[in-house]
Coordinates of all heavy atoms in Angstrom, one line a residue:
Q143 N -4.9 4.1 -16.4 CA -3.5 4.5 -16.5 C -2.6 3.3 -16.4 O -1.4 3.4 -16.7 CB -3.2 5.6 -15.6 CG -3.9 6.9 -15.9 CD -3.7 7.9 -14.8 OE1 -4.0 7.7 -13.7 NE2 -3.2 9.1 -15.3
L144 N -3.0 2.2 -15.9 CA -2.2 1.0 -15.8 C -1.7 0.6 -17.2 O -0.6 0.0 -17.3 CB -3.0 -0.2 -15.2 CG -3.3 -0.1 -13.7 CD1 -4.2 -1.3 -13.3 CD2 -2.1 -0.1 -12.9
E145 N -2.4 0.9 -18.2 CA -2.1 0.5 -19.6 C -0.8 1.2 -20.0 O -0.1 0.8 -21.0 CB -3.2 0.8 -20.5 CG -4.4 0.0 -20.2 CD -5.6 0.3 -21.1 OE1 -5.4 0.9 -22.2 OE2 -6.8 0.0 -20.7
Y146 N -0.4 2.3 -19.3 CA 0.8 3.1 -19.7 C 2.1 2.6 -19.0 O 3.1 3.1 -19.2 CB 0.6 4.6 -19.3 CG -0.6 5.2 -20.1 CD1 -1.6 5.8 -19.4 CD2 -0.6 5.1 -21.5 CE1 -2.7 6.4 -20.1 CE2 -1.7 5.7 -22.1 CZ -2.7 6.3 -21.4 OH -3.8 6.9 -22.1
L147 N 1.9 1.6 -18.1 CA 3.1 1.1 -17.4 C 3.9 0.2 -18.3 O 3.4 -0.6 -19.1 CB 2.7 0.3 -16.1 CG 2.0 1.1 -15.0 CD1 1.6 0.2 -13.9 CD2 2.8 2.2 -14.5
E148 N 5.2 0.3 -18.2 CA 6.1 -0.4 -19.1 C 6.2 -1.9 -18.7 O 6.0 -2.2 -17.5 CB 7.5 0.2 -19.1 CG 7.6 1.6 -19.7 CD 9.0 2.2 -19.6 OE1 9.8 1.7 -18.9 OE2 9.2 3.2 -20.3
K149 N 6.5 -2.7 -19.7 CA 6.6 -4.1 -19.5 C 7.7 -4.4 -18.4 O 8.8 -3.8 -18.4 CB 7.1 -4.8 -20.8 CG 7.1 -6.3 -20.7 CD 7.4 -7.0 -22.0 CE 7.3 -8.5 -21.8 NZ 7.5 -9.2 -23.0
N150 N 7.3 -5.3 -17.4 CA 8.2 -5.7 -16.3 C 8.8 -4.5 -15.5 O 9.8 -4.6 -14.9 CB 9.4 -6.5 -16.8 CG 8.9 -7.8 -17.4 OD1 8.0 -8.4 -16.9 ND2 9.5 -8.3 -18.5
S151 N 8.0 -3.4 -15.4 CA 8.5 -2.2 -14.7 C 8.1 -2.3 -13.2 O 8.6 -1.5 -12.4 CB 7.9 -1.0 -15.3 OG 6.5 -1.0 -15.2
I152 N 7.3 -3.2 -12.8 CA 6.8 -3.3 -11.4 C 7.4 -4.6 -10.8 O 7.2 -5.7 -11.4 CB 5.3 -3.3 -11.3 CG1 4.7 -2.1 -12.0 CG2 4.8 -3.4 -9.9 CD1 5.0 -0.8 -11.4
D153 N 8.0 -4.5 -9.7 CA 8.6 -5.7 -9.0 C 7.5 -6.6 -8.4 O 7.6 -7.8 -8.4 CB 9.6 -5.4 -8.0 CG 10.8 -4.7 -8.6 OD1 11.3 -5.2 -9.7 OD2 11.4 -3.8 -8.1
L154 N 6.5 -5.9 -7.8 CA 5.5 -6.7 -7.0 C 4.1 -5.9 -7.1 O 4.1 -4.7 -6.9 CB 5.9 -6.8 -5.6 CG 4.9 -7.5 -4.6 CD1 4.6 -8.9 -5.0 CD2 5.3 -7.4 -3.2
T155 N 3.1 -6.6 -7.5 CA 1.7 -6.1 -7.5 C 0.9 -6.8 -6.4 O 0.9 -8.0 -6.3 CB 1.1 -6.3 -8.9 OG1 1.8 -5.6 -9.8 CG2 -0.4 -5.7 -8.8
I156 N 0.3 -6.0 -5.6 CA -0.6 -6.5 -4.5 C -2.0 -5.9 -4.7 O -2.2 -4.8 -5.1 CB 0.0 -6.3 -3.1 CG1 0.1 -4.8 -2.8 CG2 1.3 -7.0 -2.9 CD1 0.6 -4.5 -1.4
A157 N -3.0 -6.7 -4.2 CA -4.4 -6.3 -4.2 C -5.0 -7.0 -3.0 O -5.2 -8.2 -3.0 CB -5.1 -6.7 -5.5
I158 N -5.1 -6.2 -1.9 CA -5.6 -6.8 -0.6 C -7.1 -6.4 -0.4 O -7.4 -5.2 -0.4 CB -4.7 -6.3 0.5 CG1 -3.3 -6.8 0.3 CG2 -5.3 -6.8 1.9 CD1 -2.3 -6.1 1.3
D159 N -7.9 -7.4 -0.3 CA -9.3 -7.2 0.0 C -10.1 -6.3 -0.9 O -10.8 -5.4 -0.5 CB -9.4 -6.7 1.5 CG -10.7 -6.9 2.1 OD1 -11.4 -7.9 1.7 OD2 -11.1 -6.2 3.0
C160 N -9.8 -6.5 -2.2 CA -10.6 -5.7 -3.2 C -11.0 -6.4 -4.4 O -12.0 -6.1 -5.0 CB -9.7 -4.5 -3.7 SG -8.2 -4.9 -4.6
I161 N -10.3 -7.5 -4.8 CA -10.7 -8.2 -6.0 C -12.1 -8.8 -5.9 O -12.8 -8.8 -6.9 CB -9.7 -9.4 -6.3 CG1 -8.3 -8.8 -6.4 CG2 -10.1 -10.2 -7.5 CD1 -8.0 -8.1 -7.7
H162 N -12.5 -9.2 -4.8 CA -13.9 -9.8 -4.6 C -15.0 -8.8 -4.9 O -16.1 -9.1 -5.1 CB -14.0 -10.3 -3.2 CG -14.0 -9.2 -2.1 ND1 -12.9 -8.6 -1.7 CD2 -15.1 -8.7 -1.4 CE1 -13.2 -7.7 -0.8 NE2 -14.5 -7.7 -0.6
E163 N -14.7 -7.5 -4.9 CA -15.7 -6.4 -5.2 C -15.8 -6.2 -6.7 O -16.6 -5.4 -7.1 CB -15.2 -5.1 -4.6 CG -15.2 -5.2 -3.1 CD -14.6 -3.9 -2.4 OE1 -14.1 -3.1 -3.1 OE2 -14.7 -3.8 -1.2
M164 N -15.0 -6.9 -7.6 CA -15.0 -6.6 -9.0 C -15.7 -7.7 -9.8 O -15.8 -8.8 -9.4 CB -13.5 -6.6 -9.5 CG -12.7 -5.5 -8.8 SD -11.0 -5.7 -9.3 CE -10.2 -4.6 -8.1

Side-chain angles (χ1 to χ4, degrees):
Q143 292 171 306
L144 290 172
E145 296 176 23
Y146 300 124
L147 296 178
E148 293 180 345
K149 186 175 182 175
N150 294 323
S151 62
I152 306 296
D153 294 320
L154 176 63
T155 299
I156 59 175
I158 299 169
D159 203 22
C160 65
I161 301 286
H162 68 283
E163 297 173 351
M164 301 174 193

